[in-house]
Amino acid sequence: MLLTFEHHDCDGPYRASGPIFVREGAARAPTLRNRLPSILGTRHLSLRAYDADGWMLQARVLEGRDAEAAVQELFGDPRVARIHAHNARYGCFLCAIEREPAEG
């Protein structure tokens, strides 16, 4: 099924929803911190970095094989709280990558 999913619920201009595919019998995806699911390594991606208030700070369009390095680079900015990955060609939201909480 193709459904609409509100993936960026914030007050401001970047509030967004978009199409996602849901297959029958799908299981909940695992929660990963500071990294992308490995399956995205074969996709053409758009990465969008947001602060804790939902404001976009940076964005990249790249091949999935380069995404892991880009995620680490984006998280090098301490203001980045999360990164959204989208299919760059069709715009479908793929996942959110949350910054690993600081230890202590």
Side-chain angles (χ1 to χ4, degrees), residues 1 21-27:
M1 294 188 327
F21 288 97
V22 179
R23 69 179 190 279
E24 186 175 346

Side-chain angles (χ1 to χ4, degrees), residues 3-69:
L3 304 171
T4 300
F5 176 70
E6 188 169 27
H7 57 270
H8 195 58
D9 182 15
C10 67
D11 291 329
Y14 295 109
R15 183 182 186 106
S17 62
I20 61 167
F21 288 97
V22 179
R23 69 179 190 279
E24 186 175 346
R28 183 171 180 84
T31 299
L32 305 175
R33 300 277 185 196
N34 290 346
R35 63 188 179 94
L36 287 168
S38 60
I39 193 169
L40 298 187
T42 61
R43 309 283 172 95
H44 189 63
L45 302 174
S46 167
L47 300 180
R48 302 167 191 173
Y50 297 94
D51 69 11
D53 294 321
W55 287 90
M56 189 183 306
L57 301 172
Q58 298 185 51
R60 305 272 192 287
V61 176
L62 46 86
E63 293 302 323
R65 66 180 170 271
D66 301 321
E68 193 64 45

Side-chain angles (χ1 to χ4, degrees), residues 48-102:
R48 302 167 191 173
Y50 297 94
D51 69 11
D53 294 321
W55 287 90
M56 189 183 306
L57 301 172
Q58 298 185 51
R60 305 272 192 287
V61 176
L62 46 86
E63 293 302 323
R65 66 180 170 271
D66 301 321
E68 193 64 45
V71 165
Q72 297 311 315
E73 178 187 336
L74 291 168
F75 277 135
D77 181 341
R79 300 173 301 157
V80 174
R82 73 190 51 82
I83 300 166
H84 286 184
H86 294 255
N87 179 314
R89 290 184 178 95
Y90 294 99
C92 297
F93 175 75
L94 297 171
C95 68
I97 305 104
E98 302 285 337
R99 179 183 288 280
E100 184 69 37

